[in-house]
Amino acid sequence: MNDLASTAATGRAPGGPAVRAALRRAAPALAAYAAIRLVGLVVLAVWSSADGKNWHTLLTARWDALWYTRVAEQGYGYTVQLANGDVHSNLAFFPLLPWLERGLSAISPLSAPDAGLVVAWSASLLAAWALYATGERLHGPRAGVALAALWAALPVGIVQSMAYSESLFTALAAWGVYCVLTERWVWAGVLASLAGLTRPVGAAVVAAVWITAAVAVRNDRAGGLGLRAILRGRHRGMLPGVLLAPLGWLGYFLWVGARQGGLTGYLDVQGGWGNGFDGGLAFGAFLWHLLSGPGFAGGLGLIAGVALVIWLYVRGARQGQPLPLLVYGGLVLLLALTAKGYFGSKPRLMMPAYPLLLPLAVGLARWRPVRSWLVVGLVTVGSAAYGAFWLNGSGPP
């Protein structure tokens, strides 16, 4: 039995020996993940130097990283009004990462930007561990290693090494979903709440907890158990977990609403950035603009990319991917594709949807090791080159 899952029936966190044993099993995945990300950082440093830029600045002091640092150092309330009348408020950025930046910089010599980098690098390793644990539980150790490696080698994988919130969110979300898989409901609720303090898409983790819990209760009731017996028996931690799960996301949403003077306050803040959800209408218009103009080839590539991620989701469902992964991965994908504004950010927004990579990881695990690692190596080189080119160019808005 998986050591991390061995205490599922009690709802308690595994003890020290179990964690150490799980960490030993995950060591190859963590080593592979660290090596792939190190390649990306080395290529970035060399490329940046040749381009007259500083790789450290690119990772810590541009784009969203600047906004997180400003929240950490000055708190909320900073806004920028653009020439077209749009208002960019730092209330758009959820608070957990800047809280950690502020706390770490307060107890160490690190500046807030460097603290953000430490948080991101540490969280990315925790995320890789969670991905390994998930792959191992469902398809064996080799699939777990492959899943962590593929996530590291995503084309936009360099974001995992930036002072951004994606690594922190993925770590919390992946462990939260793993706790749902292993029926540690209280831990799942706590982690879902923390994920909800990290990014708006934390709602996907809440949904994974709630929907899985609802289906489990329905199935047990169909088997003749009463609700009281269900919640006091195998699922006795379920109710606290379900109640805890939305607190982070809902709490920040309501706090921004109170600060802005209305329940839709956070949506209004996002609207000032040109963000929001319109069912994919703006994305469709953007795609049509590409296809009907000189960006035709780019439009075809975009269609192919969207088709690929949808195919991966369907493939995972056909392979019997568990409900928590399907709910979480599907909602992350849906929210990314139906959001308007900053279309270049969509690959970054989909990065936490690690369940999409499970079918590829399963396929790699079935190959001979030499062949599978050759593929991972080639993908790593491509990811490193693209990441360096991207950050030295337009970068991740």
Side-chain angles (χ1 to χ4, degrees):
M1 174 181 280
N2 189 308
D3 290 316
L4 284 177
S6 62
T7 55
T10 67
R12 294 191 299 267
V19 172
R20 288 193 293 272
L23 184 56
R24 283 194 297 271
R25 292 198 309 276
L30 297 180
Y33 177 84
I36 292 169
R37 293 296 346 119
L38 181 60
V39 170
L41 291 173
V42 169
V43 172
L44 173 65
V46 173
W47 193 304
S48 300
S49 178
D51 205 33
K53 297 177 182 176
N54 185 290
W55 66 273
H56 180 267
T57 300
L58 293 176
L59 295 177
T60 62
R62 294 188 67 186
W63 305 293
D64 287 6
L66 286 173
W67 287 88
Y68 283 119
T69 297
R70 187 173 283 114
V71 173
E73 294 177 339
Q74 303 173 15
Y76 285 106
Y78 178 81
T79 60
V80 174
Q81 184 159 359
L82 304 185
N84 64 0
D86 288 347
V87 176
H88 289 186
S89 167
N90 63 1
L91 289 168
F93 297 88
F94 275 51
L96 187 56
L97 176 59
W99 283 350
L100 293 174
E101 290 179 342
R102 181 185 302 173
L104 185 56
S105 62
I107 62 173
S108 73
L110 295 172
S111 65
D114 285 337
L117 204 59
V118 169
V119 170
W121 289 7
S122 302
S124 70
L125 287 171
L126 289 173
W129 186 4
L131 268 59
Y132 169 80
T134 302
E136 178 198 38
R137 180 177 180 83
L138 297 178
H139 301 287
R142 290 188 62 191
V145 174
L147 182 59
L150 288 172
W151 190 66
L154 286 172
V156 294
I158 190 64
V159 175
Q160 298 164 21
S161 301
M162 298 179 69
Y164 269 44
S165 61
E166 273 76 8
S167 290
L168 178 61
F169 174 78
T170 305
L172 294 168
W175 279 117
V177 172
Y178 183 84
C179 285
V180 177
L181 284 173
T182 56
E183 298 181 349
R184 287 201 297 278
W185 294 104
V186 174
W187 277 100
V190 170
L191 290 165
S193 186
L194 291 173
L197 281 171
T198 309
R199 294 188 63 81
V201 75
V205 192
V206 178
V209 174
W210 280 9
I211 293 175
T212 306
V215 171
V217 169
R218 184 200 65 184
N219 291 342
D220 284 356
R221 295 199 71 176
L225 291 177
L227 183 60
R228 180 173 296 182
I230 293 170
L231 297 180
R232 289 184 176 180
R234 182 164 63 95
H235 299 308
R236 62 179 174 272
M238 179 185 286
L239 183 58
V242 166
L243 294 176
L244 285 168
L247 293 184
W249 184 90
L250 184 61
Y252 186 68
F253 191 91
L254 293 176
W255 180 79
V256 174
R259 187 181 175 109
Q260 296 294 99
L263 283 176
T264 62
Y266 185 76
L267 299 179
D268 296 338
V269 168
Q270 286 281 20
W273 282 80
N275 293 333
F277 300 96
D278 62 359
L281 293 177
F283 184 47
F286 173 74
L287 181 58
W288 175 252
H289 176 73
L290 290 177
L291 293 173
S292 59
F296 180 77
L300 289 180
L302 186 56
I303 290 175
V306 172
L308 174 61
V309 295
I310 293 175
W311 178 84
L312 287 172
Y313 181 78
V314 173
R315 179 66 176 169
R318 289 179 174 175
Q319 286 182 342
Q321 206 168 99
L323 180 63
L325 291 170
L326 287 175
V327 172
Y328 167 76
L331 278 177
V332 173
L333 178 61
L334 178 66
L335 293 173
L337 292 180
T338 58
K340 61 181 180 179
Y342 297 104
F343 300 109
S345 293
K346 290 194 180 295
R348 174 172 67 87
L349 297 177
M350 287 189 284
M351 191 172 66
Y354 65 90
L356 297 176
L357 298 173
L358 259 175
L360 300 178
V362 171
L364 281 178
R366 292 172 178 167
W367 290 359
R368 296 179 63 180
V370 172
R371 184 184 178 191
S372 60
W373 282 112
L374 177 61
V375 170
V376 171
L378 292 173
V379 173
T380 297
V381 172
S383 171
Y386 179 75
F389 168 77
W390 193 38
L391 289 199
N392 280 279
S394 61

